[in-house]
Amino acid sequence: MNFEPDKNGYWGEFGGRFVPETLVAPLDELHDAFIASRDDSEFHAELSHLLKQYSGRPTALYFAERLSDELGGARIYLKREDLNHTGSHKINNCLGQILLARRMGKTRIVAETGAGQHGVAAATVCALFGLACVVYMGSEDIRRQELNVFRMELLGAEVRAVDAGSRTLKDAINEALRDWVTNIDNTYYLLGSALGPHPYPLMVRTFQSVIGREARAQILEATGKLPDLLIACVGGGSNAIGLFHPFLDDAKVRMAGVEAGGSGTGLGEHAARFAKGAAVGVLQGTRSYVLQDDDGNIAATHSVSAGLDYASVGPEHAHLRDTGRVEYGSVTDLEALDAFRLLSRTEGIIPALESSHAIAFAVKAAAEMTPDQTVVVNVSGRGDKDVDAVRRILAGGSE
Amino acid sequence: MTDRITENLKAGRGFIPFVTACDPDDEISLEILDLLAGRGANVIELGVPFSDPMADGVVIQRSSQRALENGVNLTRVLSLAKRFRASKDVPVVLFSYLNPLLRFGIEKLCESAKDCGIDGLLVVDAVDNEARDLREKLAEHDVSLISLVAPTTTDERLERICREAEGFIYAVSRAGVTGAAGSVSREAADLVARVRKFTTLPVAVGFGVSRREHVENIWEFADAAVVGSAIVAEIEASVGTRNAAARVKSLLDQLLPLQKAAHTHKVEGSRL
């Protein structure tokens, strides 16, 4: 099976570049800079140095013995992306893209953020390189993630609230695109997930694949064989594609992407783009599965986790789903909250609510497997940012 | 292919208004379209509301939102166009993002478009291959796909876009989203000059055209001025009062020289 996009950025029928004409030349420029960086050993050396010395890679692959025992099935290994500097996998992509931005001579960075993890990572690399940074964030997400807003401001970024639409990630991306198209001369758009117009999905995957490359070597070292199952949560899908991609050719390795099942199955109650009634559409520069109404307007979504609360999904995931290489499922808000507490209690690791979706799926999957089988779950981020929201929910209020 | 759009813009000093369809409601929207026709619009751009208009500034975002809250969809937009064209022969170009069109069905849209008096389609987020596929399908139904060019468009792309273009070329005056600006950028004149190297089609300039001096300035180097947000802002200001048409009329009185009203168009066999 071929897992590379064609020259126009298509995986099968998914991907491409659906943008206003003004953005075509900047995307071409970005594409050229990205391709040049791929063959540049100096670029790789600098990126490797930063990943190691600044972010603390490689992140651990940790055998979660108590969790595995409690579930009584497969042995569960956790890829600890939460141990990265800034507390999530988002820094991997930000370090790669900030080096590109610098090579392109850009002096101002714009980014979108949902949960705030990408915004914090973007603000961090801008501080590191002394670049101006503007982060767009939906006002609903700002309410949910106050601490991350303050964190970004501490790092010197300007956080701009977006009041349009559902006031979440999708609306923040619209606003970041509007800013970029207005300020293309000096501005670099640091997109945080494996979505958007070509070359973003390919580029983000490239910078996140360090997760899977490390995990592959680590699990071989730990167990002497490849894992039976990989599990990762999928909002846009960057941590998932980062883990999955280096294993795609290993036909015996099963993979599961976990979407946000939210609070119900009705349109607007979840962010499960691949659920029953899934439809293909075009949103924010790419063709993929899109939650939408009968008139083609983008549907509101819901998830307890801001980082999974998005109406579309990265195009490569759409392709992996349709070809059957990766299976996709969803877990509800309540299941994710249970998993959040379960991992905290059994392993002393508080996962992000996004990652809690992957844990919740692992709880179900591992129980049906045997102790000679192994599962790798990506803990894409740490849950400190969610502690306050979870406390409010557990106290009986609505989040 | 008959090109009523090209014909209607050939004389220069053209005026292309944009309004979001059915904003604030179908009846007032029709009244505004009639008024625009009466004030010498050479082509009318009719906006299809979409939930995520990423190329638009706040004024058009809000008009889109208002229309969506009133349940406006492509079916209603087409029906408005049909009613307007039953009595007026001004060419109508649908201005849309791709997703609502895909959901409606491109084939179905092609079949309905001509019947509703739609002469062209402008799809903000379809470029290159995506535009080419769409153009081929539209061509079978005698509907033009209008191309956008921007100051960032390279000469190499301009040549290709102009070679495939139909109707007119929409030149975006500056890098940015739709909405008012202080003056027409120098970039706009440079862009139009570059476009002229590759095509004899009329060139219209839009984005940020909100004052008489903008229109006059654009007429010096381009064939038509596109006015969108300025008109839509008047419609927004009228919400709740039902005097949208009066407000738009007074804006046009400021925006356009008087002789524009007397400038009428005779295009054969075009009325529905």
Side-chain angles (χ1 to χ4, degrees), chain A residues 283-314:
Chain A
L283 177 65
Q284 295 174 332
T286 193
R287 187 202 305 272
S288 184
Y289 284 85
V290 180
L291 289 168
Q292 54 186 301
D293 67 16
D294 291 341
D295 295 323
N297 290 302
I298 309 310
T301 52
H302 164 81
S303 170
V304 68
S305 136
L308 303 183
D309 201 353
Y310 182 64
S312 186
V313 57

PDB file of all heavy atoms in Angstrom, chain A residues 283-314:
ATOM      1  N   LEU A 283     -12.996  21.648   3.990  1.00  0.00           N
ATOM      2  CA  LEU A 283     -12.952  22.651   5.050  1.00  0.00           C
ATOM      3  C   LEU A 283     -11.511  23.082   5.275  1.00  0.00           C
ATOM      4  O   LEU A 283     -10.623  22.244   5.384  1.00  0.00           O
ATOM      5  CB  LEU A 283     -13.535  22.087   6.369  1.00  0.00           C
ATOM      6  CG  LEU A 283     -13.459  23.040   7.573  1.00  0.00           C
ATOM      7  CD1 LEU A 283     -14.319  24.283   7.357  1.00  0.00           C
ATOM      8  CD2 LEU A 283     -13.890  22.338   8.862  1.00  0.00           C
ATOM      9  N   GLN A 284     -11.308  24.390   5.316  1.00  0.00           N
ATOM     10  CA  GLN A 284     -10.021  24.972   5.680  1.00  0.00           C
ATOM     11  C   GLN A 284      -8.869  24.376   4.885  1.00  0.00           C
ATOM     12  O   GLN A 284      -7.848  23.979   5.426  1.00  0.00           O
ATOM     13  CB  GLN A 284      -9.822  24.865   7.190  1.00  0.00           C
ATOM     14  CG  GLN A 284     -10.875  25.721   7.886  1.00  0.00           C
ATOM     15  CD  GLN A 284     -10.911  25.631   9.377  1.00  0.00           C
ATOM     16  OE1 GLN A 284     -10.549  24.607   9.935  1.00  0.00           O
ATOM     17  NE2 GLN A 284     -11.386  26.687  10.037  1.00  0.00           N
ATOM     18  N   GLY A 285      -9.100  24.311   3.587  1.00  0.00           N
ATOM     19  CA  GLY A 285      -7.999  24.016   2.684  1.00  0.00           C
ATOM     20  C   GLY A 285      -7.799  22.571   2.299  1.00  0.00           C
ATOM     21  O   GLY A 285      -6.933  22.254   1.496  1.00  0.00           O
ATOM     22  N   THR A 286      -8.598  21.657   2.888  1.00  0.00           N
ATOM     23  CA  THR A 286      -8.352  20.257   2.575  1.00  0.00           C
ATOM     24  C   THR A 286      -9.660  19.485   2.399  1.00  0.00           C
ATOM     25  O   THR A 286     -10.690  19.853   2.971  1.00  0.00           O
ATOM     26  CB  THR A 286      -7.467  19.617   3.663  1.00  0.00           C
ATOM     27  OG1 THR A 286      -6.988  18.349   3.201  1.00  0.00           O
ATOM     28  CG2 THR A 286      -8.215  19.424   4.969  1.00  0.00           C
ATOM     29  N   ARG A 287      -9.592  18.421   1.580  1.00  0.00           N
ATOM     30  CA  ARG A 287     -10.755  17.566   1.420  1.00  0.00           C
ATOM     31  C   ARG A 287     -10.611  16.369   2.357  1.00  0.00           C
ATOM     32  O   ARG A 287      -9.611  15.650   2.339  1.00  0.00           O
ATOM     33  CB  ARG A 287     -10.865  17.057  -0.015  1.00  0.00           C
ATOM     34  CG  ARG A 287     -12.179  16.298  -0.277  1.00  0.00           C
ATOM     35  CD  ARG A 287     -12.108  15.353  -1.461  1.00  0.00           C
ATOM     36  NE  ARG A 287     -11.692  15.994  -2.695  1.00  0.00           N
ATOM     37  CZ  ARG A 287     -12.526  16.588  -3.554  1.00  0.00           C
ATOM     38  NH1 ARG A 287     -13.813  16.611  -3.318  1.00  0.00           N
ATOM     39  NH2 ARG A 287     -12.060  17.131  -4.645  1.00  0.00           N
ATOM     40  N   SER A 288     -11.626  16.177   3.194  1.00  0.00           N
ATOM     41  CA  SER A 288     -11.598  15.080   4.149  1.00  0.00           C
ATOM     42  C   SER A 288     -13.023  14.823   4.631  1.00  0.00           C
ATOM     43  O   SER A 288     -13.980  15.375   4.085  1.00  0.00           O
ATOM     44  CB  SER A 288     -10.682  15.449   5.328  1.00  0.00           C
ATOM     45  OG  SER A 288     -10.572  14.369   6.228  1.00  0.00           O
ATOM     46  N   TYR A 289     -13.142  13.999   5.643  1.00  0.00           N
ATOM     47  CA  TYR A 289     -14.452  13.843   6.262  1.00  0.00           C
ATOM     48  C   TYR A 289     -14.759  15.095   7.080  1.00  0.00           C
ATOM     49  O   TYR A 289     -13.882  15.616   7.786  1.00  0.00           O
ATOM     50  CB  TYR A 289     -14.483  12.601   7.153  1.00  0.00           C
ATOM     51  CG  TYR A 289     -14.594  11.342   6.321  1.00  0.00           C
ATOM     52  CD1 TYR A 289     -13.475  10.726   5.794  1.00  0.00           C
ATOM     53  CD2 TYR A 289     -15.848  10.805   6.016  1.00  0.00           C
ATOM     54  CE1 TYR A 289     -13.575   9.603   4.996  1.00  0.00           C
ATOM     55  CE2 TYR A 289     -15.962   9.675   5.220  1.00  0.00           C
ATOM     56  CZ  TYR A 289     -14.819   9.075   4.710  1.00  0.00           C
ATOM     57  OH  TYR A 289     -14.936   7.967   3.921  1.00  0.00           O
ATOM     58  N   VAL A 290     -15.990  15.579   6.953  1.00  0.00           N
ATOM     59  CA  VAL A 290     -16.371  16.828   7.616  1.00  0.00           C
ATOM     60  C   VAL A 290     -17.771  16.673   8.214  1.00  0.00           C
ATOM     61  O   VAL A 290     -18.698  16.238   7.522  1.00  0.00           O
ATOM     62  CB  VAL A 290     -16.399  18.001   6.608  1.00  0.00           C
ATOM     63  CG1 VAL A 290     -16.800  19.291   7.312  1.00  0.00           C
ATOM     64  CG2 VAL A 290     -15.051  18.187   5.916  1.00  0.00           C
ATOM     65  N   LEU A 291     -17.904  17.033   9.478  1.00  0.00           N
ATOM     66  CA  LEU A 291     -19.239  17.052  10.084  1.00  0.00           C
ATOM     67  C   LEU A 291     -19.960  18.286   9.572  1.00  0.00           C
ATOM     68  O   LEU A 291     -19.495  19.414   9.750  1.00  0.00           O
ATOM     69  CB  LEU A 291     -19.130  17.080  11.610  1.00  0.00           C
ATOM     70  CG  LEU A 291     -18.632  15.771  12.233  1.00  0.00           C
ATOM     71  CD1 LEU A 291     -18.269  15.972  13.700  1.00  0.00           C
ATOM     72  CD2 LEU A 291     -19.682  14.676  12.091  1.00  0.00           C
ATOM     73  N   GLN A 292     -21.077  18.083   8.911  1.00  0.00           N
ATOM     74  CA  GLN A 292     -21.769  19.191   8.258  1.00  0.00           C
ATOM     75  C   GLN A 292     -23.262  18.941   8.185  1.00  0.00           C
ATOM     76  O   GLN A 292     -23.717  17.806   8.345  1.00  0.00           O
ATOM     77  CB  GLN A 292     -21.208  19.385   6.849  1.00  0.00           C
ATOM     78  CG  GLN A 292     -21.249  18.103   6.004  1.00  0.00           C
ATOM     79  CD  GLN A 292     -20.555  18.269   4.663  1.00  0.00           C
ATOM     80  OE1 GLN A 292     -20.928  19.114   3.869  1.00  0.00           O
ATOM     81  NE2 GLN A 292     -19.538  17.455   4.414  1.00  0.00           N
ATOM     82  N   ASP A 293     -24.009  20.018   7.944  1.00  0.00           N
ATOM     83  CA  ASP A 293     -25.454  19.848   7.817  1.00  0.00           C
ATOM     84  C   ASP A 293     -25.828  19.587   6.351  1.00  0.00           C
ATOM     85  O   ASP A 293     -24.955  19.482   5.483  1.00  0.00           O
ATOM     86  CB  ASP A 293     -26.205  21.045   8.419  1.00  0.00           C
ATOM     87  CG  ASP A 293     -25.982  22.332   7.623  1.00  0.00           C
ATOM     88  OD1 ASP A 293     -25.511  22.266   6.465  1.00  0.00           O
ATOM     89  OD2 ASP A 293     -26.293  23.413   8.171  1.00  0.00           O
ATOM     90  N   ASP A 294     -27.118  19.487   6.078  1.00  0.00           N
ATOM     91  CA  ASP A 294     -27.581  19.142   4.732  1.00  0.00           C
ATOM     92  C   ASP A 294     -27.240  20.201   3.686  1.00  0.00           C
ATOM     93  O   ASP A 294     -27.279  19.930   2.487  1.00  0.00           O
ATOM     94  CB  ASP A 294     -29.104  18.922   4.733  1.00  0.00           C
ATOM     95  CG  ASP A 294     -29.482  17.671   5.504  1.00  0.00           C
ATOM     96  OD1 ASP A 294     -28.592  16.817   5.714  1.00  0.00           O
ATOM     97  OD2 ASP A 294     -30.659  17.552   5.913  1.00  0.00           O
ATOM     98  N   ASP A 295     -26.950  21.423   4.146  1.00  0.00           N
ATOM     99  CA  ASP A 295     -26.618  22.493   3.210  1.00  0.00           C
ATOM    100  C   ASP A 295     -25.111  22.697   3.042  1.00  0.00           C
ATOM    101  O   ASP A 295     -24.688  23.639   2.378  1.00  0.00           O
ATOM    102  CB  ASP A 295     -27.254  23.808   3.671  1.00  0.00           C
ATOM    103  CG  ASP A 295     -28.779  23.732   3.633  1.00  0.00           C
ATOM    104  OD1 ASP A 295     -29.312  23.100   2.701  1.00  0.00           O
ATOM    105  OD2 ASP A 295     -29.429  24.295   4.538  1.00  0.00           O
ATOM    106  N   GLY A 296     -24.329  21.828   3.690  1.00  0.00           N
ATOM    107  CA  GLY A 296     -22.879  21.958   3.548  1.00  0.00           C
ATOM    108  C   GLY A 296     -22.261  22.972   4.492  1.00  0.00           C
ATOM    109  O   GLY A 296     -21.100  23.347   4.327  1.00  0.00           O
ATOM    110  N   ASN A 297     -23.034  23.432   5.474  1.00  0.00           N
ATOM    111  CA  ASN A 297     -22.428  24.285   6.494  1.00  0.00           C
ATOM    112  C   ASN A 297     -21.831  23.394   7.573  1.00  0.00           C
ATOM    113  O   ASN A 297     -22.359  22.320   7.871  1.00  0.00           O
ATOM    114  CB  ASN A 297     -23.471  25.244   7.079  1.00  0.00           C
ATOM    115  CG  ASN A 297     -23.864  26.286   6.049  1.00  0.00           C
ATOM    116  OD1 ASN A 297     -23.009  27.017   5.553  1.00  0.00           O
ATOM    117  ND2 ASN A 297     -25.140  26.301   5.693  1.00  0.00           N
ATOM    118  N   ILE A 298     -20.725  23.881   8.145  1.00  0.00           N
ATOM    119  CA  ILE A 298     -19.971  23.052   9.076  1.00  0.00           C
ATOM    120  C   ILE A 298     -20.729  22.972  10.397  1.00  0.00           C
ATOM    121  O   ILE A 298     -21.191  23.980  10.932  1.00  0.00           O
ATOM    122  CB  ILE A 298     -18.552  23.632   9.276  1.00  0.00           C
ATOM    123  CG1 ILE A 298     -17.889  23.873   7.915  1.00  0.00           C
ATOM    124  CG2 ILE A 298     -17.711  22.706  10.144  1.00  0.00           C
ATOM    125  CD1 ILE A 298     -17.925  22.706   6.935  1.00  0.00           C
ATOM    126  N   ALA A 299     -20.847  21.750  10.900  1.00  0.00           N
ATOM    127  CA  ALA A 299     -21.639  21.528  12.108  1.00  0.00           C
ATOM    128  C   ALA A 299     -20.853  21.932  13.348  1.00  0.00           C
ATOM    129  O   ALA A 299     -19.625  21.914  13.370  1.00  0.00           O
ATOM    130  CB  ALA A 299     -22.012  20.048  12.202  1.00  0.00           C
ATOM    131  N   ALA A 300     -21.594  22.298  14.380  1.00  0.00           N
ATOM    132  CA  ALA A 300     -20.981  22.500  15.687  1.00  0.00           C
ATOM    133  C   ALA A 300     -20.537  21.128  16.185  1.00  0.00           C
ATOM    134  O   ALA A 300     -21.098  20.098  15.802  1.00  0.00           O
ATOM    135  CB  ALA A 300     -21.980  23.115  16.641  1.00  0.00           C
ATOM    136  N   THR A 301     -19.501  21.120  17.013  1.00  0.00           N
ATOM    137  CA  THR A 301     -19.022  19.859  17.571  1.00  0.00           C
ATOM    138  C   THR A 301     -18.955  20.015  19.079  1.00  0.00           C
ATOM    139  O   THR A 301     -18.986  21.127  19.602  1.00  0.00           O
ATOM    140  CB  THR A 301     -17.612  19.525  17.048  1.00  0.00           C
ATOM    141  OG1 THR A 301     -16.761  20.652  17.261  1.00  0.00           O
ATOM    142  CG2 THR A 301     -17.646  19.177  15.583  1.00  0.00           C
ATOM    143  N   HIS A 302     -18.864  18.893  19.755  1.00  0.00           N
ATOM    144  CA  HIS A 302     -18.692  18.955  21.203  1.00  0.00           C
ATOM    145  C   HIS A 302     -17.740  17.864  21.671  1.00  0.00           C
ATOM    146  O   HIS A 302     -17.819  16.726  21.235  1.00  0.00           O
ATOM    147  CB  HIS A 302     -20.011  18.781  21.950  1.00  0.00           C
ATOM    148  CG  HIS A 302     -19.770  18.459  23.403  1.00  0.00           C
ATOM    149  ND1 HIS A 302     -19.476  19.431  24.321  1.00  0.00           N
ATOM    150  CD2 HIS A 302     -19.704  17.281  24.062  1.00  0.00           C
ATOM    151  CE1 HIS A 302     -19.234  18.857  25.490  1.00  0.00           C
ATOM    152  NE2 HIS A 302     -19.369  17.548  25.365  1.00  0.00           N
ATOM    153  N   SER A 303     -16.850  18.249  22.572  1.00  0.00           N
ATOM    154  CA  SER A 303     -16.066  17.269  23.308  1.00  0.00           C
ATOM    155  C   SER A 303     -15.633  17.912  24.604  1.00  0.00           C
ATOM    156  O   SER A 303     -15.417  19.121  24.664  1.00  0.00           O
ATOM    157  CB  SER A 303     -14.833  16.835  22.515  1.00  0.00           C
ATOM    158  OG  SER A 303     -13.980  16.072  23.360  1.00  0.00           O
ATOM    159  N   VAL A 304     -15.495  17.103  25.629  1.00  0.00           N
ATOM    160  CA  VAL A 304     -14.965  17.595  26.900  1.00  0.00           C
ATOM    161  C   VAL A 304     -13.522  18.045  26.696  1.00  0.00           C
ATOM    162  O   VAL A 304     -13.000  18.873  27.442  1.00  0.00           O
ATOM    163  CB  VAL A 304     -15.070  16.488  27.976  1.00  0.00           C
ATOM    164  CG1 VAL A 304     -14.129  15.324  27.659  1.00  0.00           C
ATOM    165  CG2 VAL A 304     -14.787  17.039  29.363  1.00  0.00           C
ATOM    166  N   SER A 305     -12.902  17.538  25.629  1.00  0.00           N
ATOM    167  CA  SER A 305     -11.522  17.879  25.341  1.00  0.00           C
ATOM    168  C   SER A 305     -11.449  18.873  24.184  1.00  0.00           C
ATOM    169  O   SER A 305     -11.839  18.570  23.063  1.00  0.00           O
ATOM    170  CB  SER A 305     -10.763  16.591  24.989  1.00  0.00           C
ATOM    171  OG  SER A 305      -9.952  16.795  23.872  1.00  0.00           O
ATOM    172  N   ALA A 306     -10.952  20.067  24.475  1.00  0.00           N
ATOM    173  CA  ALA A 306     -10.914  21.122  23.453  1.00  0.00           C
ATOM    174  C   ALA A 306     -10.054  20.716  22.255  1.00  0.00           C
ATOM    175  O   ALA A 306     -10.340  21.078  21.117  1.00  0.00           O
ATOM    176  CB  ALA A 306     -10.371  22.411  24.064  1.00  0.00           C
ATOM    177  N   GLY A 307      -9.030  19.917  22.491  1.00  0.00           N
ATOM    178  CA  GLY A 307      -8.114  19.566  21.407  1.00  0.00           C
ATOM    179  C   GLY A 307      -8.685  18.574  20.411  1.00  0.00           C
ATOM    180  O   GLY A 307      -8.133  18.366  19.336  1.00  0.00           O
ATOM    181  N   LEU A 308      -9.783  17.922  20.760  1.00  0.00           N
ATOM    182  CA  LEU A 308     -10.415  16.973  19.826  1.00  0.00           C
ATOM    183  C   LEU A 308     -11.691  17.547  19.216  1.00  0.00           C
ATOM    184  O   LEU A 308     -12.351  16.904  18.408  1.00  0.00           O
ATOM    185  CB  LEU A 308     -10.756  15.653  20.546  1.00  0.00           C
ATOM    186  CG  LEU A 308      -9.598  14.916  21.222  1.00  0.00           C
ATOM    187  CD1 LEU A 308     -10.092  13.593  21.817  1.00  0.00           C
ATOM    188  CD2 LEU A 308      -8.459  14.666  20.245  1.00  0.00           C
ATOM    189  N   ASP A 309     -12.006  18.773  19.610  1.00  0.00           N
ATOM    190  CA  ASP A 309     -13.295  19.381  19.287  1.00  0.00           C
ATOM    191  C   ASP A 309     -13.228  20.066  17.921  1.00  0.00           C
ATOM    192  O   ASP A 309     -13.199  21.295  17.837  1.00  0.00           O
ATOM    193  CB  ASP A 309     -13.597  20.395  20.408  1.00  0.00           C
ATOM    194  CG  ASP A 309     -15.071  20.732  20.522  1.00  0.00           C
ATOM    195  OD1 ASP A 309     -15.833  20.292  19.647  1.00  0.00           O
ATOM    196  OD2 ASP A 309     -15.438  21.430  21.471  1.00  0.00           O
ATOM    197  N   TYR A 310     -13.166  19.305  16.847  1.00  0.00           N
ATOM    198  CA  TYR A 310     -12.965  19.867  15.512  1.00  0.00           C
ATOM    199  C   TYR A 310     -13.803  19.089  14.504  1.00  0.00           C
ATOM    200  O   TYR A 310     -13.906  17.863  14.588  1.00  0.00           O
ATOM    201  CB  TYR A 310     -11.471  19.789  15.148  1.00  0.00           C
ATOM    202  CG  TYR A 310     -11.129  20.392  13.809  1.00  0.00           C
ATOM    203  CD1 TYR A 310     -11.301  21.755  13.580  1.00  0.00           C
ATOM    204  CD2 TYR A 310     -10.627  19.612  12.774  1.00  0.00           C
ATOM    205  CE1 TYR A 310     -10.988  22.315  12.356  1.00  0.00           C
ATOM    206  CE2 TYR A 310     -10.297  20.166  11.546  1.00  0.00           C
ATOM    207  CZ  TYR A 310     -10.481  21.523  11.339  1.00  0.00           C
ATOM    208  OH  TYR A 310     -10.170  22.073  10.125  1.00  0.00           O
ATOM    209  N   ALA A 311     -14.392  19.806  13.542  1.00  0.00           N
ATOM    210  CA  ALA A 311     -15.379  19.207  12.641  1.00  0.00           C
ATOM    211  C   ALA A 311     -14.785  18.381  11.507  1.00  0.00           C
ATOM    212  O   ALA A 311     -15.496  17.637  10.831  1.00  0.00           O
ATOM    213  CB  ALA A 311     -16.278  20.303  12.059  1.00  0.00           C
ATOM    214  N   SER A 312     -13.481  18.516  11.276  1.00  0.00           N
ATOM    215  CA  SER A 312     -12.872  17.719  10.222  1.00  0.00           C
ATOM    216  C   SER A 312     -11.683  16.967  10.797  1.00  0.00           C
ATOM    217  O   SER A 312     -11.416  17.045  12.004  1.00  0.00           O
ATOM    218  CB  SER A 312     -12.440  18.605   9.046  1.00  0.00           C
ATOM    219  OG  SER A 312     -11.975  17.794   7.979  1.00  0.00           O
ATOM    220  N   VAL A 313     -11.000  16.229   9.942  1.00  0.00           N
ATOM    221  CA  VAL A 313      -9.904  15.375  10.403  1.00  0.00           C
ATOM    222  C   VAL A 313      -8.831  15.367   9.318  1.00  0.00           C
ATOM    223  O   VAL A 313      -9.149  15.547   8.128  1.00  0.00           O
ATOM    224  CB  VAL A 313     -10.454  13.953  10.702  1.00  0.00           C
ATOM    225  CG1 VAL A 313     -11.134  13.358   9.478  1.00  0.00           C
ATOM    226  CG2 VAL A 313      -9.376  13.019  11.223  1.00  0.00           C
ATOM    227  N   GLY A 314      -7.599  15.216   9.723  1.00  0.00           N
ATOM    228  CA  GLY A 314      -6.505  15.242   8.753  1.00  0.00           C
ATOM    229  C   GLY A 314      -6.751  14.303   7.583  1.00  0.00           C
ATOM    230  O   GLY A 314      -7.248  13.188   7.758  1.00  0.00           O
TER     231      GLY A 314
END
